[in-house]
Amino acid sequence: MITAKYSLLDRIMIPDYDSPSQMQTGELDFHPERCTECGICVSLCPGGCLLTDTTTKTDLLSGKARGGKYGLPRVVTTKAGATLCIACFDCGAACPHGAISIRNNFNPGGHFKRITQTSNVRYPKQY
Ligand code: SF4
Ligand code: SF4
């Protein structure tokens, strides 16, 4: 049986998702020479953390942008060194042109130890 040790602080501290000192958030590289500005990545990001300078909410809801171009995507930054991206790479997997790569992975650091920091991962209990 795995026994993980958690301090009282571990148990009560709520992580600050906007603080680079507490967690490393995702950063992506977009390759404009491959991007056709189709908007797929912006529409499907589960965290809503992709924007372009030209896409409006109406464009996303209607599925139509002026001239069929949604603009070059970029990741929303919340503070210097922090974004809303969890580096799930849904956007990159869906991009038809391979125009996205991950530069910096999401790492919650000292938080969520059960997932990231146990030496031995157990399967969920089966009923
Ligand atoms: S990696 Fe995931 S969270 Fe980050 S921008 Fe792409 S779809 Fe959104
Ligand atoms: S899915 Fe790929 S080609 Fe389409 S806007 Fe996003 S990065 Fe550009």
Side-chain angles (χ1 to χ4, degrees), residues 12-45:
I12 62 174
M13 193 162 85
I14 297 171
D16 179 355
Y17 289 86
D18 287 340
S19 167
S21 66
Q22 292 196 26
M23 60 177 62
Q24 170 188 301
T25 54
E27 288 177 51
L28 306 179
D29 281 328
F30 294 93
H31 307 289
E33 72 285 0
R34 294 190 207 153
C35 177
T36 58
E37 304 181 27
C38 66
I40 291 174
C41 57
V42 181
S43 309
L44 65 69
C45 170

Side-chain angles (χ1 to χ4, degrees), residues 4 11-12 18 21 23 73 76 88 108 111 115-116 119 124:
R11 292 166 193 266
I12 62 174
D18 287 340
S21 66
M23 60 177 62
V76 176
C88 66
H111 303 283
I115 296 173
T116 62
S119 55

Side-chain angles (χ1 to χ4, degrees), residues 88-100:
C88 66
F89 206 51
D90 285 2
C91 54
C95 174
H97 306 289
I100 306 173

Side-chain angles (χ1 to χ4, degrees), residues 59-121:
D59 292 336
L60 289 176
L61 291 174
S62 68
K64 288 181 187 163
R66 190 188 294 254
K69 297 260 186 182
Y70 288 76
L72 283 172
R74 59 181 165 78
V75 179
V76 176
T77 302
T78 51
K79 272 189 188 168
T83 69
L84 290 175
C85 175
I86 56 165
C88 66
F89 206 51
D90 285 2
C91 54
C95 174
H97 306 289
I100 306 173
S101 52
I102 292 183
R103 181 178 352 131
N104 200 22
N105 270 309
F106 179 73
N107 181 353
H111 303 283
F112 311 112
K113 288 183 176 180
R114 282 173 198 277
I115 296 173
T116 62
Q117 293 183 351
T118 51
S119 55
N120 190 0
V121 176

